[in-house]
Amino acid sequence: MLLLWAGNGFSTHPTSKDHVGEPRRLIVFTRVRIVTCSFAPRAGPWGRCMGSDCGPGGSQSRAVWCAHVDGWTTLHTNCDQGQRPSNQRNCFRVCDWHKDLYDWKLGAWNVCVPVSARTLWASRPFTCSGGEEGIQTREVGCMLKADASPAEDAICEYFEPKPRLEQACLIPCPQDCVLSEYSPWTSCSKTCGTGLRNRVRSVLVPPLFGGAVCLNLTEFQSCKPGPCAGPEGMHSLRVGPWTPCALPQTRTARQVKRRKGKGQGLRERAGVKDPETRELIQKKRTRNRLNRQESPFWDIQVGYQTRDVTCIHRNGSTVARNLCTLRDLPLTVQSCVLPKDCRVTDWAEWGPCSKTCVDPVSPVGRRARSRQVLQFPVGEGAECASLEDSQSCEPQGEGVPPCSTYTWRSTEWSDCRVDSLLGQQDRRRGNLTGLCGGGLQTREVYCVQANAELLKYLDDLREKDKASRPVENKLCEGSIPDRSQLCQISCPIDCEVSPWGAWGPCTFENCDDQAGKKGFKLRKRGITNEPTGGPGNCPHLVEAVPCDEPGCYDWRLVGLDECVPGDGKPCGPGAQLARVQCVNGNGEEVDGGLCASSPAPEPVPCEVPCSRDCVLSDWTPWSTCSQTCSSKTVEGKQLRTRSVLAYNAGEGGALCPNSSSLQEVRNCNEHACTVYHWQTGPWGPCTEDPSASTLNTSVGVRAGGGQGPCSTGMQTRKVICVRVNVGQVPPKKCPDGPRPSTVRPCELPCKKDCIVTPFSDWTSCPVTCDRKQSRKRLIIQLPSNGGQDCPELLEEETDCEAPKVCPGFRWKTHKWRKCQLVPWFLRQGRPGAQETCGPGLQTRAVSCRQLDGTQADIGECLKFAKAMAAITQRCQLPCQDDCQLTNWSKFSSCTADCVGVRTRKRALIGRSKKKDKCKNTQMYPLSETQYCPCDKYNAQPVGNWSDCILPEGGRVESLLGMKVQGDIKECGQGYRYQAMVCYDQDNRLVETSRCNSHGYIEEACIIPCPSDCKLSEWSNWSRCSKSCGSGVKVRSKWLREKPYNGGRPCPKLDHINQVYEVVPCQSNCNQYVWVAEPWSVWKVSNVDLKENCGEGVQTRKVRCMLNTVDGPSESVEDYLCDPEEMPLGARESRLPCPEDCVLNDWGPWSRCSLPCTRTNSRAREAYPLRSPSVGRECPDTTDKEPCGLNLNCFNYFYNVTDWSTCQLSANAVCGGGIKTRMLDCVRSDGKSVNIKFCEELNLEKKWQMNVSCVVECPVNCQMSEWSPWSDCSQTCGLDGKMWRRRAVVRASQGDGRPCPPQTEQWRPCPVRPCYRWQYSDWSECRVESVVCGHGTRYRNLSCFVSDGSGSGSGSGSGSGSSVDEELCGGLELVIDGDKQINLKEACTLPCPGECYLMEWSDWSSCVSICVKGAGVDFGSVRVRSRAVLAQEPENLQLCPDQAWESQPCTGGECYEYKWISGGRQNSSRSSVWCQRSDGLNVTGERLIALIMGKTHIHPIHSLPSMYCSSNQNEGFTEVLSPTGQLDQCAPIPVLEIPTAGDKKGDVKTSRAINPTLPTTIQPGRTGRTWYLQPYGPDGKLKMWVYVDEFNSPYLSLSSFMKPKTIKKPKRPQRQRQQNNRLKPLTLAYDGDTDM
């Protein structure tokens, strides 16, 4: 039986990968052992690490149990106790703070491995298309950050999951080598006999990622110009390379001896000289020593070097020198500088870290170290390595302060200004005071250091005194706070008052003091719209007129009772008792006892007509007074009337009065027209109240910047008594009661002092010599309310401390030393050598100086000076046989520029004058002539005109330096510029100052100013469309001028170019009333002259009149009154006869009760004025009619109108306004009626009638200031431009002026010639006076000028024109980025018959290694190559290997390849070749695979044949065309030749062995065997040239063989291999060439 120790598999504590609350089942088989009892221990997973402390001191446990192999659990005793796993172990208890100590360490990704390689059973062939999928892995582990030591993964897993260990990758497909077409054939290497000619090609794309190697780059072809007339030259004198420079072994000892001898002799001779001579000699030696400036940085030792001169046979073997034609042998020994490598000191200690503070955003700084030069390189010694080094660093140590952070601050907002929003039309209106509504306010934004003390920016005045000093704005990051914002100036509300009320009674000024008899009549009006600032800003509300007999209380007649005849008679004279009230001067009812002093009104006499008397109607009410006051010429009158209702009956009845008695007139408003009122002046400023307590008057400082009141003050105003239409009168003329107050309390605002920032730090001094530095401070709070004024000085400028000289360093060269020859004992015995003359070497010292000439450290010149001058040069000590000449004289002067020639001369000196060879003026010219210099210049414009640019200084700035909208000059006259270019007489570019030009043509231009849309003024408001209730009124503007040049746009206009404003209006329904005059006398139609009664008609005039508080005042058009309400102008009725009952006119109808139904009725009443005689009755005194809806009974309801447009104050442009709507009372028939009908019904008003609104402000677009002009886009040339830019600070809003489209401007830079150092072409390889060997080639360094356009300097030359080197004197000596200037280099001139490597080809174009259309790119590459050239067929075995090299590049093109077919020139056969997608023809044997892998265009069977088929053309080989394609199949002859190393001349058949050597393994030259069968079908030996397929050495074989060595051709056995065919060498057949 098998039992296991086991754990329960459940972890009570979830690990980092467990889901909390879910048990995790994990069976871990730690050990399995077969025992006889079949039981074994098992263990569960480790639980959570527990412990009291964080770190390694924790412990974790797991469950262990004994289990059977079938899984069931048994007793522990059944398992082997020796095999029981431990159930407890130490662990690392992770705490949260460990997160800062541990982190995942991520290893680098390994090489990408194909997925197929990881699959054991993957055996199917893989076709690469774009790339093969792969997988790459890396190592990931937990580490301790401090020392990168490994830690348990569980620690890092506690905080974040383990990063992935593998990822997908892409393996590029193999890229085969791609070659260019062949070049044309070279000329024959020989002029007679049999030679070779060559053609070559270059590498376009190197083999990459295991692609096919490059084919041979060279093809050889035999040539035979003709038979040689005589024997060919078989030997050539060959010069070998110079040996390394070395010192003679005996040099030191010999110099010591020489110095001892010289010193002793000098000392002996010195004793002879007198003291003065010795002193002069000593001074000269000292001067010479100082001038030589022996520097410790150069240890120059002059040595010697030698070279061999040998005689070479054409087959490459060395023969005796006497076989070569001896001429003047070249120099075989020369002086040289012993090469010494640069030596430097050890690195100095690391400098301080540039980051000296803690910065969580950018914690890393840089630190640097340097080293010094001990020994500069001499000769060919190694150059100095870098002298400076830097690395990233973090500030170390405790107490590192936090880094300065920077934040934006701002000044306080300026006052709100409405004029900033006005358009051009508004600005021209002149008076802009009193503007209100929406406006614009600005502020300045600046950057400050937000250190620990100033992180919090409080608005409290005391904190603002600690304002931070401004720093450069570029230090602040993030968006710049707004510099402007919309604001609101509250519009003042005008006071609106009601019409004047009626004059009151004559009352005492003070009823408590009735001593005098002076009294006043008053009339009043009320405030209907409370103004801004309270009622004190309203006009006077009370007017008074003096009156006599004043009283404080009086009786007011309320009505008259019914007329009661006297003596109890039924008719006749009687009296009417008056119903009265006791009222005070204000018309208010008071207790009747107060009127006791005034007599009560007497009963009014009246008469009740008897049955035969005339009946008159009651008097009408008195009309309104015709005047408000009376004067000598004008009196106020009132009128009342009555009419005849029934005439008297004959005798006995009271007669009717005449018509004049039917009306009465009385005087009214008899007071004089002397009206007085109190007039108030404006309130004065709020000042301290001297009577207030000191606590109140102390000025405190309020939090919040002093915006609230600080104390209570006092305001006063002037109050005077004014007589209307006269002016000021004494105060006693006006009543004291309504006199306004002259003093009122007020809140004193706090004083605000001007607050400025501290001065900023001084700006750094510029590098230029004319240097100034400045500093500035900003106003952040302007003074107000009497606060301290701002300082006048806000910016300071001072001169920098001028250095004695501007910094600069230069190299100083010292005198050349004596020319040093190779020691004579080394030259002795060499042909032509002489002891005291010949070529040598001389040296000089170089030191570092400041510009003022003082000594400087050599390191300064290494950093700041130009290239160091040469310290060695070749020299020549003339021999006696040499020709010696004087130095050239100066050129003769020219009579005028551009006229004639100038010459310079030199002469032979000494014995040279007598030597014939020295008199050869071609070898040693004694004069030189050149044309006189010609300085003619012409200027001409170049390039386009710049933008039109306004002159600087056209800005208007506010007090704070802020731009106010519209203040920047954006239009007007500016200037545009065109660059000028100056050429000399040779059409070379020169400085424009030569043409007396400052570099520009300047031309005035105009930037048109924007013109805003212009509208007319508002028309007057139309009359309200309704005379009762709510209507609309309209006003309009019309277009006067459209906007142009970016002016403010017009509002939306209608089809006739008008814009309207429609607002609701309310008309008082009682504004116009019908007024009916009394009825006329009856006109009886059936006149009973006796009775004077019967049917008749009465008429009256009805007029529409304007209603006022005093009653109807003037007649108006009838249409203004409601026609439905118009009283009748005529009525028919019956004139009562005598003794008939006479009733007065009907009273008004009673109101129908609501709701209106037919069951309700309304009534009107009349009462009898004359009782009827006996037997007659009065008609009904009550008249009723049913109530009918919309006939005589109406329901009423409120109706609310639509909202009006947003209405602004008259002085506002935009901002906050009010939208209103009106409330109408509408009758059930739809007619608007007086609002009182709805108010009497107490209907609910649930609507808000006013609501605030905002009219968008017309904010013009605000642009930033133009940036400074940028640096020129080019340092020289014709096309340089300078740019300046601006940005939109605030986009336009509403109808504001839109942003101008131009956000950048350019102007040309002054044209400067482009000077550059440029190499000339390399000279031919020069080998002194011999045919071949190791020589030197040279090139010159010249200064060139061009215009920077790539097309030369005006003349069309691509490289520019050569000029004096002085013009390049200010340039660093760098050519194409290379500071190593190389003017000579070793070269090899091949000997006749030698096979050699050509020069490097040009770099190919940059090619992308990609898959067209698949989006896969593996980088770009370019390549160059060296091909082999051969001259002798016999020397082909000695040819060097071809070579190529590649380098990465950027911007490569992704190409495709395709087959092209067509006719060949000079051939009737068609040709097939491969062409790249850019049109370039390419070659290479592996192109089929390339095309199939890249383009997928051609199926394999459609490709042209590249091989000769073994079935159809057995025994034939391929002959390729110049494009590398199959041209024809030629028979394969077999040639057996001896190998190069075969001394016995054994015949061997050449076969290709291992033709696929990789490019990194270059085969040697010995023991090569080649597959070569140059035998034609005609039995003649042909000249074949083969080139192997791969990058092995290129071979071209030809041989002169005896006929007996030729064997019969055999059929070659072709071997076919996958992806690699064993082929004969590439063959070029030139036809029949007899051997």
Side-chain angles (χ1 to χ4, degrees), residues 557-566 569-579 603-609 618 1142-1144 1165-1171 1181:
L557 181 65
V558 177
L560 295 173
D561 291 339
E562 204 172 317
C563 188
V564 178
K569 296 178 180 180
C571 60
Q576 285 178 298
L577 296 179
R579 297 194 303 276
V604 179
C606 61
E607 188 168 347
V608 176
D618 292 335
V1142 178
L1143 301 179
N1144 71 332
E1165 293 181 348
Y1167 58 89
L1169 294 177
R1170 185 179 72 180
S1171 300
T1181 58

Side-chain angles (χ1 to χ4, degrees), residues 1533-1537 1550-1551 1570-1574 1584 1586 1597-1598:
V1534 176
L1535 170 67
E1536 295 182 352
I1537 59 174
S1550 177
R1551 301 293 182 190
W1570 302 94
Y1571 184 55
L1572 178 65
Q1573 296 174 325
W1584 303 91
Y1586 295 86
L1597 296 181
S1598 64

Side-chain angles (χ1 to χ4, degrees), residues 640-662:
R640 67 177 181 174
T641 61
R642 58 183 177 175
S643 61
V644 176
L645 296 180
Y647 288 98
N648 61 304
E651 298 178 2
L655 297 176
C656 289
N658 56 23
S659 58
S660 61
S661 299
L662 296 178

Side-chain angles (χ1 to χ4, degrees), residues 1089-1138:
L1089 296 179
K1090 186 177 180 180
E1091 299 292 337
N1092 198 12
C1093 63
E1095 299 293 331
V1097 176
Q1098 274 183 308
T1099 60
R1100 63 181 174 182
K1101 184 179 286 187
V1102 177
R1103 292 179 298 172
C1104 181
M1105 299 190 74
L1106 175 66
N1107 197 15
T1108 66
V1109 67
D1110 295 324
S1113 61
E1114 59 178 309
S1115 296
V1116 294
E1117 297 292 335
D1118 285 354
Y1119 71 87
L1120 295 174
C1121 289
D1122 186 358
E1124 294 183 11
E1125 302 290 336
M1126 184 175 181
L1128 294 174
R1131 67 178 178 181
E1132 294 181 358
S1133 186
R1134 183 178 179 279
L1135 184 65
C1137 292

Side-chain angles (χ1 to χ4, degrees), residues 170 1410-1418 1454:
L170 194 64
C1410 58
V1411 180
K1412 193 80 170 181
V1416 180
D1417 191 343
F1418 297 103
C1454 188

Side-chain angles (χ1 to χ4, degrees), residues 774-942:
S774 62
R775 64 177 185 173
K776 65 177 181 178
R777 56 183 173 181
L778 299 171
I779 298 173
I780 59 176
Q781 178 177 282
L782 289 170
S784 63
N785 306 323
Q788 184 178 355
D789 291 335
C790 292
E792 294 183 3
L793 186 64
L794 296 178
E795 189 162 350
E796 290 182 340
E797 188 177 66
T798 185
D799 293 328
C800 291
E801 186 176 343
K804 294 179 181 179
V805 276
C806 288
F809 301 91
R810 60 181 176 85
W811 293 107
K812 175 176 173 58
T813 56
H814 302 274
K815 285 186 178 180
W816 288 106
R817 296 178 187 154
K818 183 179 177 182
C819 189
Q820 193 166 343
L821 304 178
V822 177
W824 173 243
F825 77 94
L826 292 172
R827 294 184 290 130
Q828 202 169 10
R830 295 184 183 266
Q834 298 184 39
E835 182 177 4
T836 59
C837 62
L841 198 69
Q842 59 185 161
T843 63
R844 65 178 174 184
V846 177
S847 61
C848 182
R849 301 294 172 94
Q850 291 187 21
L851 293 185
D852 61 355
T854 57
Q855 189 83 21
D857 184 73
I858 202 84
E860 302 293 342
C861 286
L862 290 175
K863 289 181 182 179
F864 304 113
K866 299 174 188 174
M868 187 172 62
I871 57 174
T872 63
Q873 72 174 9
R874 296 280 170 195
C875 54
Q876 183 82 22
L877 287 179
C879 297
Q880 289 183 353
D881 294 336
D882 293 341
C883 296
Q884 298 184 37
L885 296 95
T886 62
N887 292 327
W888 286 106
S889 67
K890 293 182 178 180
F891 277 105
S892 61
S893 59
C894 289
T895 56
D897 286 346
C898 309
V899 176
V901 295
R902 61 180 183 175
T903 59
R904 66 174 183 173
K905 297 181 179 180
R906 62 180 178 177
L908 295 169
I909 56 176
R911 298 178 181 177
S912 300
K913 296 178 182 179
K914 299 180 180 179
K915 294 178 182 176
D916 291 337
K917 71 172 184 178
C918 297
K919 296 178 182 179
N920 183 352
T921 55
Q922 289 187 348
M923 293 287 294
Y924 303 102
L926 299 179
S927 67
E928 279 186 355
T929 301
Q930 64 178 209
Y931 290 108
C932 286
C934 191
D935 294 334
K936 286 187 177 180
Y937 306 103
N938 76 311
Q940 59 190 60
V942 64

Side-chain angles (χ1 to χ4, degrees), residues 1250-1440:
N1250 297 317
V1251 66
S1252 59
C1253 58
V1254 175
V1255 174
E1256 188 177 20
C1257 287
V1259 180
N1260 289 347
C1261 173
Q1262 296 180 31
M1263 306 294 292
S1264 66
E1265 294 183 6
W1266 287 107
S1267 66
W1269 287 104
S1270 67
D1271 294 332
C1272 193
S1273 60
Q1274 297 181 2
T1275 55
C1276 62
L1278 307 179
D1279 300 327
K1281 291 182 179 180
M1282 296 184 293
W1283 296 87
R1284 66 175 185 175
R1285 293 173 173 82
R1286 61 179 177 179
V1288 176
V1289 174
R1290 190 184 189 101
S1292 62
Q1293 293 180 4
D1295 291 331
R1297 187 174 297 168
C1299 294
Q1302 189 179 44
T1303 57
E1304 60 182 18
Q1305 287 182 335
W1306 73 272
R1307 61 181 293 175
C1309 306
V1311 174
R1312 293 188 177 91
C1314 291
Y1315 299 110
R1316 72 180 186 281
W1317 291 109
Q1318 182 174 313
Y1319 286 130
S1320 64
D1321 293 331
W1322 285 108
S1323 67
E1324 296 290 333
C1325 191
R1326 298 175 186 170
V1327 182
E1328 309 158 34
S1329 67
V1330 293
V1331 175
C1332 61
H1334 290 268
T1336 307
R1337 64 176 185 170
Y1338 301 89
R1339 61 182 174 185
N1340 295 322
L1341 193 61
S1342 303
C1343 181
F1344 277 73
V1345 67
S1346 69
D1347 59 11
S1349 63
S1351 59
S1353 180
S1355 60
S1357 168
S1359 58
S1361 305
S1362 177
V1363 293
D1364 292 338
E1365 291 187 5
E1366 298 162 357
L1367 296 174
C1368 289
L1371 299 180
E1372 186 180 5
L1373 207 54
V1374 176
I1375 299 180
D1376 296 332
D1378 187 9
K1379 295 184 179 180
Q1380 289 295 111
I1381 304 301
N1382 184 18
L1383 298 180
K1384 71 172 185 176
E1385 67 179 8
C1387 58
T1388 303
L1389 192 63
C1391 295
E1394 191 174 9
C1395 185
Y1396 62 94
L1397 279 176
M1398 296 177 65
E1399 295 298 327
W1400 285 104
S1401 66
D1402 293 332
W1403 285 104
S1404 67
S1405 60
C1406 196
V1407 177
S1408 174
I1409 310 304
C1410 58
V1411 180
K1412 193 80 170 181
V1416 180
D1417 191 343
F1418 297 103
S1420 300
V1421 70
R1422 64 176 186 165
V1423 66
R1424 66 176 182 172
S1425 54
R1426 298 181 75 180
V1428 175
L1429 283 184
Q1431 304 180 72
E1432 288 285 348
E1434 295 90 343
N1435 292 347
L1436 289 175
Q1437 288 282 13
L1438 303 177
C1439 286

